[in-house]
Structures are given as structure tokens and as C-alpha cells.
Amino acid sequence: MHSNEYHLTPNYPYAPNLPGHPNKQSYPGGSMPPLQLAHAYVPWQHMGNIFSPAEGLARGTIFPELLSPYSVPKRGESNG
Amino acid sequence: MDNKQEMPQIPEAVKPEDKVKAENITSSQTQMLLEIQRLEFTAIELNLYLDTHPNDQKALSLYNSVVPQLKKCIEAYEQRFGPLFHFGMSTSQYPWQWINSPWPWDL
């Protein structure tokens, strides 16, 4: 698996302008490279520091860069 | 009319001898198990990282430093509480301990 080479489609416009749809950029800032549609991109992980075994088990990962727990709505709040 | 049906009472399924097994679990046993879980979790995480980053020197040395610690904790645990694994993975004192030490769900 090559590391971080994206499949760039030559002169691919930022977003296909479908008739009847407003001319919208697919990336808010437009700063992303015009990536191939329908491809999943996983940026390559570079390990930095890791959590201690105790903290890793408690948090569900030893990699701080991967930590992203779902926020649990407090009682009464609903994300309905 | 309160139509909330009565929650069915799940029968107390714990067999008497399981109760005995579960009771004599000391806190040091659970503490040692927890340490094993922590070290094993770290080893698994590093293993998964190394699968995609086999040339990461730091990850590999971290992994190689965790493995002996994990082994030491497992040996210490098994010495006192019996085998954690079977089918040739751990030895047992006399009499055969595998069937008597508490099962994970007894802990």
C-alpha cells in the first residue's frame, strides 16, 4: 500500500456541476486536492507518544492521535 | 391502569459451586488480571500498528519491551491462581486446575 499518494484525476474540477444543482465546491475551503470521487482516503498514521498501558486500556487506544470517543449526551440532552 | 408489564425476574442462574469459585477471588487476583489486560492491550495495539508500519523502529522496540513484562505478569498470576490459557498454552499444578479456577464471567 503506497503511503500517501492520492489518486488525482487530472484536471478534475472540484465538484461536478450537475445540471440543476448550484455550483458548489465539494471541499469547504477548496484547499483539498481534487481527489478521486468514491475513494476512501486514510491519512498515514505517524506514531508519536503513546498512552500508558493503564490509560490505553481505559481510553480504548494507546495512540492519542486516534482517540475520538463519541460524546455521551448528559441526562436530559438528546441529540434527537 | 398501569400497563407496564412486570419485568420478568431472571432466575438466579448461578450454580452453587460457581458461587464458591466467584467468592474467593481476591482483590490481588483481580488487580493482577487488570495488569495483564493493560499490558496485553498495549501489545495488541502495537502489533496492529506494526502490521502497517513494519519499519517503525520505535514501535518495534516498544512492542519488544512490553512482551516480556506481559509474560512475567502472566507467569506470576498462573503461579498463584492457575492457568489462564489451556490446550497446551499453560501448565497446571496438581490436581488439574483448568476446570476449577473461576471462568471469566465468574470474576
Side-chain angles (χ1 to χ4, degrees):
Chain A
M1 189 167 91
H2 38 70
S3 56
N4 48 20
E5 188 200 308
Y6 293 111
H7 294 289
L8 295 182
T9 314
N11 53 52
Y12 169 82
Y14 273 114
N17 295 322
L18 305 174
H21 286 268
N23 182 347
K24 218 156 139 294
Q25 274 197 336
S26 46
Y27 313 110
S31 59
M32 284 277 286
L35 300 177
Q36 179 97 22
L37 278 179
H39 271 235
Y41 294 88
V42 179
W44 197 245
Q45 179 187 1
H46 295 281
M47 182 183 82
N49 298 328
I50 60 171
F51 290 133
S52 70
E55 197 173 357
L57 181 67
R59 290 180 174 237
T61 177
I62 63 168
F63 301 106
E65 63 270 22
L66 298 185
L67 186 66
S68 64
Y70 291 115
S71 64
V72 180
K74 286 189 218 54
R75 193 169 302 282
E77 260 172 41
S78 83
N79 44 27
Chain B
M1 200 265 288
D2 170 6
N3 53 23
K4 194 156 73 57
Q5 304 104 341
E6 196 48 51
M7 264 297 285
Q9 277 310 328
I10 299 154
E12 184 55 49
V14 178
K15 297 194 295 306
E17 67 275 19
D18 287 346
K19 262 242 166 303
V20 165
K21 264 191 272 181
E23 251 127 37
N24 46 37
I25 293 164
T26 59
S27 67
S28 77
Q29 180 171 4
T30 13
Q31 192 50 39
M32 285 173 88
L33 267 179
L34 184 57
E35 190 52 26
I36 289 168
Q37 287 169 342
R38 288 167 169 166
L39 288 167
E40 192 173 5
F41 182 78
T42 298
I44 291 169
E45 287 273 280
L46 287 167
N47 185 139
L48 292 173
Y49 181 82
L50 285 161
D51 288 347
T52 48
H53 302 66
N55 307 316
D56 189 315
Q57 191 83 40
K58 188 174 162 224
L60 185 53
S61 58
L62 273 170
Y63 176 80
N64 285 333
S65 73
V66 168
V67 171
Q69 293 176 58
L70 175 57
K71 277 206 171 102
K72 198 161 69 57
C73 282
I74 290 175
E75 269 150 26
Y77 176 92
E78 291 188 329
Q79 232 292 318
R80 282 181 62 187
F81 303 109
L84 269 174
F85 312 99
H86 63 155
F87 290 147
M89 295 301 122
S90 303
T91 56
S92 169
Q93 283 149 21
Y94 182 83
W96 177 247
Q97 294 172 284
W98 179 252
I99 49 172
N100 293 324
S101 27
W103 300 116
W105 53 84
D106 287 330
L107 296 178

